[in-house]
Amino acid sequence: MADFIELKQAIDMEGLRVVLISTTPSPWGEAVKGFFYVKKISYVPVRHPMGQDQTLLRQLTAQESAPVAFYNDERPRSTWPEQLYLAERLSPDPPLIPQSMEERVRMFGWCNELAGENGLGWSRREIIFSRTLASAKADDQRSAPMRAMARKYHYSAESAQAASQRIVEILRGLSELIAEQKQRGSNFLIGDRLSALDIMWAAFAALIKPLPEALCPMAPGMRAGFTNDDPAIDAAASPLLMEHRDFIYRQYLELPLILER
Ligand SMILES: N[C@@H](CCC(=O)N[C@@H](CS)C(=O)NCC(=O)O)C(=O)O
């Protein structure tokens, strides 16, 4: 992957440019990096203006989150299903969306449990907001960016309470799924080949336990925030499911992760 550039430099370029949070393994971004990596689609990485003025990103995309994929002068794509379909179109091989309708329905359903609103990523973020904001004073300037992000993602004390149970449910479901798949002789979460779900799980598992520092360099505070400390959540992620993340990274994805310090 090339060096990160600024959004204003990327606007008038041709080809594929992807806005990413450059300093943390944000799972939505890592999943999209994974889609492009396994398909050998090259792109210019663009630094998300985290903690800075986000006016330009908002003007271009009508939202402020990352990742965003810009391809030539097509409309920008700022949600994971659009980004996955773009990757499939730019390079159909290897396919990451199953051919069989039944498998496709299950795959998109599970991906949504990980990356959709109120899914695993969203819910872990609620818990991170709740931990950080509970220990910070309301007028502490250091917690202001976190407070702003919490507002953006509709954080409330009630939604944070429901989050843990939601994550447990999703992790139990995925743990059962990988156990069943292994029993029928498959190394993948859907069918008999790699799909977007395997890549998404590998990326979103960072919010339970990030990969070791040598493979995934992170600031200590960020690593602590990403690492789950809820025993019910740890118990719901089976060793087999966590090993599946390691297998997918080892076999298919770029290691170490490309992040800026
Ligand atoms: N746009 C994604 C969601 C991505 C997302 O939630 N990104 C967060 C990761 S924490 C982000 O960029 N947050 C920074 C911000 O909103 O300023 C989707 O719906 O598929």
Side-chain angles (χ1 to χ4, degrees):
M1 199 165 86
D3 287 340
F4 283 88
I5 63 168
E6 298 300 322
L7 184 54
K8 60 177 181 306
Q9 286 174 269
I11 297 176
D12 297 323
M13 292 170 84
E14 293 271 293
L16 185 61
R17 295 90 81 207
V18 186
V19 178
L20 296 160
I21 297 174
S22 62
T23 52
T24 59
S26 169
W28 290 269
E30 293 306 316
V32 170
K33 278 158 83 173
F35 300 159
F36 292 138
Y37 186 76
V38 299
K39 289 171 174 288
K40 301 190 168 57
I41 299 171
S42 57
Y43 58 89
V44 176
V46 181
R47 209 173 276 115
H48 177 272
M50 195 68 161
Q52 292 166 15
D53 183 7
Q54 301 191 346
T55 316
L56 181 58
L57 183 59
R58 174 169 278 283
Q59 278 167 356
L60 294 169
T61 69
Q63 59 91 57
E64 294 168 355
S65 75
V68 178
F70 291 89
Y71 183 61
N72 290 339
D73 58 357
E74 295 186 11
R75 70 185 158 84
R77 289 170 170 80
S78 54
T79 63
W80 65 267
E82 296 175 295
Q83 292 156 357
L84 175 56
Y85 277 108
L86 176 65
E88 290 288 277
R89 173 159 62 93
L90 296 183
S91 179
D93 199 42
L96 292 176
I97 300 178
Q99 282 290 315
S100 124
M101 190 183 78
E102 193 271 335
E103 288 180 356
R104 210 161 54 231
V105 168
R106 280 196 292 128
M107 193 204 76
F108 274 102
W110 277 115
C111 284
N112 194 55
E113 292 304 306
L114 292 175
E117 231 170 286
N118 296 324
L120 181 137
W122 183 286
S123 303
R124 269 291 290 140
R125 187 168 55 199
E126 292 275 307
I127 294 175
I128 294 171
F129 289 149
S130 124
R131 296 270 194 283
T132 316
L133 299 180
S135 60
K137 295 204 175 65
D139 58 355
D140 181 354
Q141 279 314 302
R142 280 167 308 176
S143 62
M146 186 68 98
R147 242 173 255 289
M149 201 147 113
R151 267 196 305 278
K152 194 188 288 185
Y153 294 105
H154 322 302
Y155 164 77
S156 71
E158 297 74 49
S159 59
Q161 277 213 326
S164 167
Q165 191 46 42
R166 175 65 66 97
I167 297 166
V168 164
E169 228 173 46
I170 296 169
L171 289 173
R172 280 195 188 139
L174 282 173
S175 296
E176 278 167 25
L177 187 58
I178 192 67
E180 285 163 16
Q181 285 288 92
K182 290 272 178 193
Q183 211 153 37
R184 47 173 295 277
S186 170
N187 280 328
F188 305 99
L189 283 163
I190 301 283
D192 292 315
R193 60 178 305 158
L194 182 77
S195 77
L197 178 59
D198 297 297
I199 297 174
M200 278 219 160
W201 162 245
F204 279 78
L207 285 170
I208 307 301
K209 189 172 192 290
L211 285 166
E213 183 68 20
L215 301 179
C216 177
M218 292 170 86
M222 194 58 76
R223 177 169 288 277
F226 267 59
T227 306
N228 168 62
D229 63 358
D230 177 338
I233 291 178
D234 268 342
S238 71
L240 209 55
L241 186 62
M242 296 310 291
E243 278 163 28
H244 187 57
R245 178 269 301 267
D246 298 345
F247 163 71
I248 295 297
Y249 264 108
R250 230 177 15 246
Q251 292 292 318
Y252 298 101
L253 302 176
E254 188 165 25
L255 283 175
L257 272 61
I258 309 285
L259 296 168
E260 287 190 316
R261 262 296 188 181

